[in-house]
Amino acid sequence: MPLDTSAYSLALLRVDGRRWNELRRIHAQIRTQAAADGSSYFEMGHTKVMCVVNGPSEPGPRRGGTAAAAPGGGQSKDAEVAVSIVVAGFSSVDRKRVGRGDKRILELQSTISSALTASLHTHLYPHSTINISLHVLSQDGSLLAALINAATLACVDAGIPMTDYVAACTAGSTSTYAANDESADPLLDLNHQEEQELPGLTVATLGDSDRVAVLVCESRVQVGRLEGMLAVGVDGCKQVREILDRVVREKGRRMLQEGTVEKGVGLDEMDMD
Amino acid sequence: MASTQHVLLSPAELAYLHASLSLTPPIRPDGRTPTQFRPLVAETGILPGTNGSARICFADGTEAIVGVKAEVERTKLSRVGPADELEGTRLVGDVVEGLAGAGGTENITEKEEIATNGADWVELSVEIPGYRDDDAGTAFLSAMLAEALLADGEFARKLYINRRFHWKLYLDILLISPPLSYPLPLLSLTTHLALLSTRLPRLKSEGDEDPFFDDDWAAAPYLYPRRKGDSGKATSKPPVSLLVMAVGNSIIFDPSKEELAVADVALAVSIGEALSSSSTSLGKKATTEDAMNLDDGEGRSLRLLSVRTIDPPSRLTPPGVPNATNSAYGAATATQKQPEARTAELEAVEGVWKAPRGGAKPLVMAALVQKVLEKGGVADEVLDALDAVDLV
Amino acid sequence: MPREAEPSLNEKQFILQALQENLRLDGRQLDQYRPLELTFGDEYGVAQVSLGKTKVFAKASAEVTVPYTDRPLDGVFTIMTELSPMASPAFEVNRPNETEVLLSRLLEKTVRRSGALDTESLCLVAGQKCWSVRVDVHVLSHDGNVIDASCLAVVAALRHFRKSDTSMEGGVLTVYTPAEREPVPLGWLHSPFCVTWSFFGDEGETAVLDATRAEEQIRVGSCTISLNRHGEICQIAKLGGTPVEAVALLQCTSLALTKVKEFSTVLDRKLAEDSKRRDKSGRAAELTAENDR
């Protein structure tokens, strides 16, 4: 069913009632699980993702599912970031089972692994593996962005040194590629319906900068439209980064109050940033 | 069936664990009593996109999420063999008559017959991070959970719409954390809660027409209907599987992976709860030898649905060969010395625990099962605890 | 699992320092492609592309099958990629590695999902019969930039391909042999091409086109942009790697467009040459036949 965008030009409101530059509700938690080195839960609208990080640790025996192997595979000077994604059968509206050999999943795994490798200080952990396992509980568009954000938060929780947050979001454009109208507005944070019908891209940036770590566009769009979409996307990433930062600081403050961290050490570290 | 990945414990640690667990009363590493469960955090209805969902975190950090999705599927009447085909059609026909005519009086034989049909009405998949989904361990886990679910014979009846259509239930069980201890109890409890919170849209169509449903989710009935008046208590319950192990003479519930490493025998016992009123009919319904029925007088009657032995890790490790008899260490005459070598191997050495060889004794098995079904015992405790979880 | 030998520290330093001075080992400009060769086979639908030492072979074929039940009005279109040990010792048979997965996903997104081939024109009888077009991509020799070469080979093979002509009369479907009726080209909508940028330096400030194998091994990130000559982006994939300034990516995209236009003219010219060659030989054959009579 084609998405009715006719209402947009009248009220400037999208199908879910948002304005063009509005993010969906983002809810994030870190340290959700006691057993893991790092864990997080990330929710962007109805897209819900959980992430568990184990390591850096000695690479275990190779098992199926971790196809995203950095060159060197644990034997190199840098730590390997192994990502595995499990898409729950109940995550989409119609139940669909996604096998682990699915090329789309393999591509996502490789993307996340490579994006985080560039931000994490992997050279501090030679001959080791950082295992990131992601679970998709519910999908409603912007899946790659949610996965990247969840993985970043979990890595922060695991205490793996990194240069900055890798924050991601999606951007789109209000009319399809065929209509070459200049008046098309860029949109921020696409939901599933918009993702199906409108051109869009996923951007991930490093920290506060304009530097783009991931840029994935899978739909046809006029080249002139790219600049606007990218600008909105990068701006959205900065908003997401703020939210991630708030979540981490809030958790840190609570842990200090509850005395989970030794006070002296923790306070110094908190003051530093 | 391997219980979990190997735990790296030294012989001294194993010996200590074995010794302290064999005491009466046993002393467990985490100070629990033998029948005590680890504390857990549970919530239901976490995923609005599913028909039912639940999440449970054990205190050791293992965590599982279960989502239930239901789809309407056309009932296949044809069977593999021609004889079966006739049988199958007749059976379904009978059920329809039974439903239409009696409108509620239940004919037990029919129920059983749907149950034979019900295996492909439920699809259960288990995902454990780091393991392939066709891994033997994963497949065994899902088979065990499915077996318990179908064993009470009533499950397929709940999915029946009319003679042409039925609900197909998809249970996706995700273990979020790495499998620290044998995940069966965790997965089973989470599945139990998810099924309790599962609702199917209310049927508006009648008879054999193509089914259509009420849009109002608030009116959707639960898969396991609640008792009227009593706040939110289900009249019948999905099964739970508990893990029990024996060390020496002590019986220990919910073992951690260290405890499991020194188990003599470990059992996965699935129990169901049936309505006390229908307990008289249960005897007739018992199809398997091990099905039995205990009334505890409190209105809850526990039924034993299935028992499976779990191989503790000690069974998977080949027993060590003393250097004296090992040909690699120059014992060329090992073959001749075999009888003496064997006796030497069987001799107990102070401070070293040797994994038991051979199967478990029937008496121990019986004691384990008895303990699970005991009045006011662990099973009751667990079911009470799960009852207390608010269903959204 | 066999691994590619990594370049030594000296080699790395040498290549990187040269790149900082805008020099490349083979004397090219940073945004210059290696000499591109495109040849067509005697059969329809066979194309071979070489970029320097990288060689890619693509063959298109078609057969009549039953359409997918969920898409009764569409034909079937598949792209199969194969990286065999022939291309590089790091590849194993029947074991897709990351390079192969990413390559096949990129071709899928660039050619199939962008709707370059009109799959509806492949339908013969709705829900019952359709053409299944399949392109097999074989990388014969891997010296970097397999993606751009493969994409060009796939597009060239598909545009060169002719499928047997068919007719529908009174519910009877007839597929004609090439002798009975001249085969017809596929319904082609637009020609997308991939352009891959490789980034070097700590902040990915040096962007290089058409990287060789050695350059690929030491690059810190890459971005593949697929466009057609009408300026439509079909796909962009910067899958991780060192972050690059957004503005630089925009520049890369506009430069990529000029490259794509070049590819497009080269392909059009080659196709025209090939058809002229075939036409000549075809007419000559006819003439000889007439003479015989």
Side-chain angles (χ1 to χ4, degrees), chain C:
Chain C
M1 197 166 70
R3 275 204 288 139
E4 195 97 6
E6 281 179 45
S8 70
L9 208 58
N10 282 342
E11 272 179 285
K12 277 186 197 170
Q13 290 282 335
F14 182 64
I15 296 176
L16 282 177
Q17 204 170 341
L19 280 173
Q20 267 169 12
E21 294 165 21
N22 286 347
L23 291 171
R24 290 173 82 170
L25 287 194
D26 43 11
R28 280 183 287 155
Q29 297 292 314
L30 294 190
D31 60 351
Q32 192 184 350
Y33 267 79
R34 286 170 286 182
L36 169 72
E37 261 180 60
L38 170 62
T39 48
F40 295 105
D42 291 335
E43 253 180 282
Y44 280 122
V46 175
Q48 187 171 333
V49 169
S50 56
L51 271 173
K53 283 186 199 154
T54 298
K55 274 194 178 54
V56 179
F57 173 88
K59 182 177 190 316
S61 53
E63 57 180 7
V64 179
T65 52
V66 183
Y68 294 124
T69 43
D70 52 336
R71 315 192 126 254
L73 296 175
D74 277 347
V76 181
F77 175 37
T78 42
I79 303 175
M80 309 294 287
T81 47
E82 189 175 300
L83 294 177
S84 66
M86 177 165 56
S88 156
F91 300 135
E92 278 175 278
V93 186
N94 294 332
R95 237 171 107 185
N97 64 352
E98 205 182 337
T99 324
E100 178 164 359
V101 169
L102 296 185
L103 173 65
S104 71
R105 275 288 292 168
L106 267 170
L107 291 178
E108 168 100 12
K109 286 191 281 189
T110 306
V111 184
R112 214 169 81 99
R113 284 192 46 168
S114 74
L117 179 66
D118 180 14
T119 48
E120 281 178 28
S121 71
L122 299 177
C123 177
L124 296 169
V125 184
Q128 289 175 30
K129 286 278 178 283
C130 70
W131 283 107
S132 159
V133 175
R134 169 192 167 116
V135 189
D136 289 275
V137 183
H138 295 271
V139 177
L140 305 180
S141 159
H142 182 11
D143 187 32
N145 207 11
V146 177
I147 290 174
D148 296 5
S150 306
C151 181
L152 185 59
V154 169
V155 172
L158 283 168
R159 285 188 55 186
H160 187 249
F161 183 62
R162 302 282 184 276
K163 66 177 180 353
S164 308
D165 199 5
T166 53
S167 73
M168 250 324 250
E169 268 172 46
V172 181
L173 178 75
T174 324
V175 180
Y176 297 101
T177 60
E180 288 169 337
R181 273 196 199 183
E182 190 66 10
V184 290
L186 299 168
W188 196 250
L189 299 177
H190 68 113
S191 302
F193 297 98
C194 291
V195 174
T196 303
W197 290 91
S198 299
F199 301 106
F200 296 88
D202 288 339
E203 301 216 332
E205 63 275 357
T206 315
V208 168
L209 271 182
D210 190 26
T212 61
R213 186 86 193 100
E215 286 168 337
E216 273 186 2
Q217 278 177 313
I218 58 171
R219 69 182 177 194
V220 293
S222 71
C223 179
T224 303
I225 303 164
S226 309
L227 296 140
N228 58 23
R229 62 163 180 204
H230 313 297
E232 282 170 347
I233 295 172
C234 300
Q235 171 281 127
I236 299 179
K238 183 187 185 310
L239 307 175
T242 297
V244 174
E245 286 292 338
V247 183
L249 281 175
L250 287 175
Q251 280 170 359
C252 288
T253 314
S254 51
L255 264 168
L257 183 56
T258 59
K259 290 289 165 197
V260 164
K261 284 179 180 158
E262 282 172 31
F263 284 144
S264 194
T265 25
V266 169
L267 179 57
D268 285 347
R269 200 184 67 229
K270 291 278 182 185
L271 279 170
E273 279 173 18
D274 185 71
S275 74
K276 203 180 278 173
R277 188 171 56 85
R278 277 169 198 276
D279 201 27
K280 206 180 282 166
S281 59
R283 214 169 279 159
E286 264 175 48
L287 285 174
T288 50
E290 275 174 21
N291 288 346
D292 278 350
R293 236 186 282 147

Side-chain angles (χ1 to χ4, degrees), chain A residues 1-6 15 176 193-194 196-198:
Chain A
M1 197 169 63
L3 182 65
D4 183 19
T5 49
S6 57
V15 274
T176 52
Q193 244 185 328
E194 290 169 331
Q196 291 290 306
E197 298 296 330
L198 302 174

Side-chain angles (χ1 to χ4, degrees), chain B residues 233-254:
Chain B
K233 276 205 169 179
T235 48
S236 69
K237 291 282 182 60
V240 283
S241 306
L242 303 176
L243 197 60
V244 209
M245 67 169 224
V247 178
N249 288 322
S250 17
I251 291 173
I252 290 165
F253 281 86
D254 189 25

Side-chain angles (χ1 to χ4, degrees), chain B residues 108-130:
Chain B
I108 288 130
T109 48
E110 285 165 11
K111 274 195 261 172
E112 259 178 62
E113 281 150 5
I114 307 188
T116 58
N117 213 348
D120 49 349
W121 291 11
V122 182
E123 199 179 301
L124 205 136
S125 75
V126 177
E127 283 276 4
I128 294 176

Side-chain angles (χ1 to χ4, degrees), chain A residues 43-133:
Chain A
E43 205 177 300
M44 222 173 175
H46 286 300
T47 302
K48 297 172 185 177
V49 174
M50 258 183 157
C51 182
V52 173
V53 171
N54 276 299
S57 58
E58 203 179 332
R62 281 243 151 243
R63 296 207 205 93
T66 50
Q75 293 301 310
S76 66
K77 296 204 306 298
D78 299 335
E80 175 201 1
V81 180
V83 179
S84 76
I85 300 177
V86 175
V87 180
F90 50 77
S91 63
S92 45
V93 177
D94 296 318
R95 187 192 181 276
K96 199 164 55 186
R97 220 171 130 58
V98 184
R100 293 209 178 157
D102 191 86
K103 285 192 173 158
R104 202 178 72 105
I105 301 296
L106 294 179
E107 190 190 40
L108 287 177
Q109 289 179 350
S110 145
T111 306
I112 294 165
S113 161
S114 153
L116 284 172
T117 309
S119 172
L120 296 170
H121 290 311
T122 49
H123 62 274
L124 297 175
Y125 306 100
H127 309 292
S128 45
T129 308
I130 300 167
N131 277 303
I132 300 181
S133 95

Side-chain angles (χ1 to χ4, degrees), chain A residues 32-35 48 50 52 54 63-64 86 88-90 92-93 95 97 100 133 135 137, chain B residues 47-48 50 60-61 63 65 67 69 71 125 127 130-131 133 170 172 175-178 180:
Chain A
T32 49
Q33 197 190 90
K48 297 172 185 177
M50 258 183 157
V52 173
N54 276 299
R63 296 207 205 93
V86 175
F90 50 77
S92 45
V93 177
R95 187 192 181 276
R97 220 171 130 58
R100 293 209 178 157
S133 95
H135 295 262
L137 303 180
Chain B
L47 299 165
T50 57
D60 66 349
E63 179 179 10
I65 289 183
K69 275 246 186 206
E71 277 172 15
S125 75
E127 283 276 4
Y131 287 85
D133 37 8
Y170 295 94
D172 290 281
L175 188 66
I176 304 286
S177 58
L180 293 178

